[in-house]
Amino acid sequence: MVKRILVSGASGLVGGILIEHLSKNPNYDIYGIDKHIELSIRYQLENTPISEGQQPILPPKEKFYVCDIIDKDKLSHIIQDNKINIIIHLAAVLETETVEKINHINCNGTKILFDIATKQEHVEMIIYASSVMTIYGYLENEPYSSLLKNIRPQEALKKITLNDPPIPSHLNPSFEAYCMSKIYGEKLARQYSSTDGNVKFVCVRLGWINTTDDVTSDLYDWSDKSVWCSHRDLCQFFDRVLENQLKMKQFQIYFVSSNNDYCWFDMDNGREDLNYVPQDGAKWNET
């Protein structure tokens, strides 16, 4: 049976990567929503050259909807009319926005989507794009803070597990608000999964995904490189989740990155549950 998959935040970097990849699979029928059709702001933030006329990778126009995540009525119609089975929820504003906007879109928007989706009998699973930034507060203390200073740790780092509490970064109010919005989204997913037995929730604590899909530049420090996730590994992980949908628990959280040196969080459950084995990785070469 072909699964109808809706990607929110379809114009974003991760949205484009996944839409391009999943659209090649005949088992999936891909739909998308976003409030705009411009390229992700990440291209600007990372100073990535953009060719003239370059556009985001979107589903066909009859399967893409310009829709704000907080537009309850339109969002409900899109999910219901297209009988969506799986939602990949990527829509969010970045840590560069105001605290108010982060809370409005990332928190309120996520609640609206979860509330609508769990009331539709054809929705089977929601994959929520959380972030490794849920634990960025650990980088503010040793031994993890050495990565921020580009100092090579003297020994392997004790890995943060799902049993360790999420701790947001306190870098600045917007950064902290973004971290907290992802922590809130996970709590919300757990809450909906326990009150609604029909929809499975998978929270994906994504590592850093960059526009160039490369981390060899000295411009990147090891707080970035240690959490980097290649486009190939991103797609592999989502393949594994979708392939194992029937086996998935009602609620689960996974850390997802590539096989980086000094990765400081535990991805064992992804390997055990889904056979997710990263193919790429950032290496701290001797100089």
Side-chain angles (χ1 to χ4, degrees), residues 269-285:
N269 68 330
R271 185 185 68 254
E272 294 163 1
D273 296 352
L274 308 170
N275 194 30
Y276 170 65
V277 181
Q279 301 300 299
D280 302 307
K283 302 303 172 187
W284 197 317
N285 298 319

Side-chain angles (χ1 to χ4, degrees), residues 107-119:
C107 296
N108 296 341
T110 296
K111 187 176 190 308
I112 288 169
L113 185 143
F114 286 2
D115 192 51
I116 291 170
T118 51
K119 291 175 181 175

Side-chain angles (χ1 to χ4, degrees), residues 33-48:
I33 61 170
D34 208 313
K35 65 179 180 180
H36 62 78
I37 56 172
E38 289 83 34
L39 279 173
S40 168
I41 193 173
R42 288 200 182 276
Y43 285 88
Q44 300 174 36
L45 294 175
E46 296 180 16
N47 294 315
T48 305

